[in-house]
Amino acid sequence: MFISPLLLATTVFSRWSNISQATFVPSDPDLVDGFFSSSGHTNNWAVLVDTSRFWFNYRHIANTLSMYRTVKRLGIPDSNIILMLADDIACNARNPVPATVYNSNKRILDLYGDNIEVDYRGYDVNVENFVRLLTGRVEDHVPRSKRLLTDDRSNILVFMTGHGGDEFLKFQDNEELQAQDIADAFGQMYEKNRYHEILFMIDTCQASSMFSKIYSPNILSAASSRTGEPSYSHHADHEIGVAVIDRFTYYNLETLEFLKPNDQETIFGTYDYQKMHSHPTFGTHLFKRPLDKAYVTDFFGSVQSVELTQTGYSLRTIESSTTNPKPVESHSPIDTNSQSQMVLKLNRVKEIVLLNEIQLNFWIGCLIFASIILISLF
């Protein structure tokens, strides 16, 4: 019986496609719960925004730099942090300690230091640049260091502080970011697969009104005060002559300063009205995960890239004709006696798979070429 070479090539290619679509299915789902992280993300980013300029708004820059120092300490690199400061308080002529910024009147920790990277400064901190940053619609000349290069596995912390009111946040006393603006920006991010989860924190008066319009999924919000309620500063440095930090940020730092990168502290367990003098408000209705599984380090820290397990996963093919795929191959538990031996074995497996792919692609090419020749002859 004569078999068409074209039919043979098509059959072989179809079988190979099924194998290439194989997926790893864990034999024990609990084994891989949180394999990469507790939330399923693979990278972390932070957007930290001070929207106020002028010396008397010293505390807003201190709020932002405090968060900047915290996320860096917990493992997020500068390449994944976008820092926006509307004014350079450290170099202000009225600063009695030039080139420094403190969040305490004891002046123990200089937040400015010699290891700070400001991405947007002065009048570059405006509503247009902020929205462009979130949505990825930046101009061509903007360098990579000023871009939010996130993807659908990115957890993003968005922290904002400044002067606000009912559904608006001032930028430099010159323009306003509306609640609908931030909601639509997050909406575009969702449509473009630019985030996995977002923690939106805002420290301003009537802060909760700023997340009242958000409609995109997987967004968790924390605000320093209710709508119609002011937010307060914590204490002042009398030599500097202004308040140096706000209460909401101060009491967040009480928790954050004692965290380590792998700690499992939940987000909403430390707020106290008696200390903050305002009612911290949370937006949780758009967040899919249970709040007791939402850890601070899911947003303030970095995620580990590799974890070793003691067992392997079953390999199953995706069959178009059935909803219950059959197991094809099951890997035995990984031998962990020697990490070097394991690495060598994995490299050898990769070489064998690559060689088999090259050989298979070669023979498929030969069959297709032969089929074309036969068809042209007959």
Side-chain angles (χ1 to χ4, degrees):
M1 181 177 64
F2 177 75
I3 300 177
S4 168
L6 181 59
L7 177 60
L8 179 61
T10 304
T11 303
V12 172
F13 184 76
S14 176
R15 292 293 182 89
W16 173 246
S17 297
N18 283 338
I19 295 175
S20 66
Q21 293 178 19
T23 57
F24 285 105
V25 180
S27 56
D28 182 6
D30 294 333
L31 178 67
V32 292
D33 182 26
F35 179 79
F36 292 108
S37 68
S38 61
S39 73
H41 68 289
T42 59
N43 58 92
N44 286 81
W45 287 74
V47 179
L48 312 175
V49 187
D50 154 55
T51 65
S52 301
R53 62 187 299 111
F54 307 123
W55 175 252
F56 54 83
N57 292 318
Y58 183 107
R59 67 189 184 278
H60 294 153
I61 288 184
N63 292 343
T64 309
L65 290 178
S66 297
M67 292 297 178
Y68 173 77
R69 176 185 176 276
T70 296
V71 297
K72 284 189 67 174
R73 184 182 64 81
L74 292 175
I76 302 181
D78 262 316
S79 59
N80 287 28
I81 302 174
I82 304 296
L83 180 59
M84 308 180 78
L85 299 180
D87 203 348
D88 194 356
I89 293 298
C91 297
N92 192 290
R94 283 179 282 189
N95 192 345
V97 190
T100 62
V101 176
Y102 295 97
N103 60 5
S104 170
N105 55 13
K106 297 179 181 179
R107 300 183 191 171
I108 298 174
L109 178 65
D110 177 16
L111 300 173
Y112 209 75
D114 57 0
N115 188 24
I116 179 175
E117 294 184 14
V118 182
D119 300 292
Y120 292 81
R121 187 191 302 270
Y123 288 109
D124 285 340
V125 181
N126 55 55
V127 173
E128 179 181 352
N129 284 343
F130 176 68
V131 173
R132 284 183 177 274
L133 171 74
L134 294 182
T135 58
R137 298 167 61 188
V138 296
E139 298 181 4
D140 293 339
H141 63 80
V142 176
R144 288 178 60 88
S145 61
K146 292 187 174 184
R147 299 181 185 222
L148 189 65
L149 303 175
T150 55
D151 55 39
D152 62 345
R153 307 310 298 173
S154 302
N155 272 15
I156 309 173
L157 165 68
V158 180
F159 175 82
M160 306 187 75
T161 182
H163 290 290
D166 189 2
E167 296 189 4
F168 73 87
L169 177 65
K170 287 185 178 180
F171 269 68
Q172 313 224 26
D173 281 341
N174 182 47
E175 56 182 346
E176 297 173 353
L177 175 74
Q178 302 288 332
Q180 191 65 55
D181 297 332
I182 191 73
D184 290 341
F186 287 157
Q188 288 188 45
M189 293 179 71
Y190 175 70
E191 293 295 332
K192 296 179 179 180
N193 294 319
R194 287 179 58 79
Y195 73 86
H196 177 61
E197 293 174 341
I198 291 177
L199 173 59
F200 177 47
M201 297 186 71
I202 182 166
D203 191 353
T204 185
C205 296
Q206 306 193 56
S208 66
S209 66
M210 284 301 293
F211 63 73
S212 61
K213 302 294 184 179
I214 296 176
Y215 50 85
S216 304
N218 293 329
I219 296 179
L220 193 57
S221 303
S224 60
S225 56
R226 295 174 177 172
T227 302
E229 182 180 52
S231 185
Y232 296 95
S233 62
H234 186 266
H235 69 275
D237 184 324
H238 295 292
E239 183 178 352
I240 292 177
V242 293
V244 293
I245 192 169
D246 283 320
R247 287 183 174 271
F248 181 72
T249 301
Y250 181 89
Y251 289 109
N252 271 296
L253 292 175
E254 278 198 341
T255 298
L256 295 171
E257 284 298 309
F258 294 99
L259 283 182
K260 296 178 182 179
N262 295 323
D263 285 351
Q264 296 185 345
E265 176 73 32
T266 55
I267 291 177
F268 303 132
T270 58
Y271 296 147
D272 185 351
Y273 170 78
Q274 299 300 325
K275 293 180 178 180
M276 295 188 181
H277 298 177
S278 62
H279 294 85
T281 308
F282 316 116
T284 61
H285 61 289
L286 297 170
F287 198 67
K288 295 182 179 179
R289 282 196 295 139
L291 292 183
D292 60 352
K293 296 294 184 181
Y295 303 131
V296 176
T297 49
D298 286 343
F299 299 95
F300 281 85
S302 61
V303 63
Q304 290 184 346
S305 300
V306 177
E307 293 184 22
L308 297 179
T309 63
Q310 299 293 324
T311 58
Y313 303 128
S314 299
L315 182 64
R316 298 179 180 178
T317 57
I318 300 176
E319 299 287 350
S320 59
S321 60
T322 177
T323 58
N324 296 316
K326 298 181 296 181
V328 174
E329 182 181 353
S330 179
H331 295 279
S332 60
I334 299 173
D335 182 10
T336 58
N337 292 332
S338 170
Q339 289 189 3
S340 60
Q341 290 182 3
M342 183 177 66
V343 172
L344 290 174
K345 289 179 181 178
L346 290 175
N347 289 337
R348 180 58 180 161
V349 170
K350 291 179 181 178
E351 291 175 0
I352 293 172
V353 171
L354 180 61
L355 182 60
N356 289 338
E357 286 183 358
I358 293 173
Q359 291 176 344
L360 184 59
N361 289 335
F362 172 76
W363 288 113
I364 290 175
C366 290
L367 289 172
I368 294 175
F369 180 74
S371 301
I372 294 173
I373 296 298
L374 290 173
I375 291 173
S376 63
L377 291 175
F378 297 102

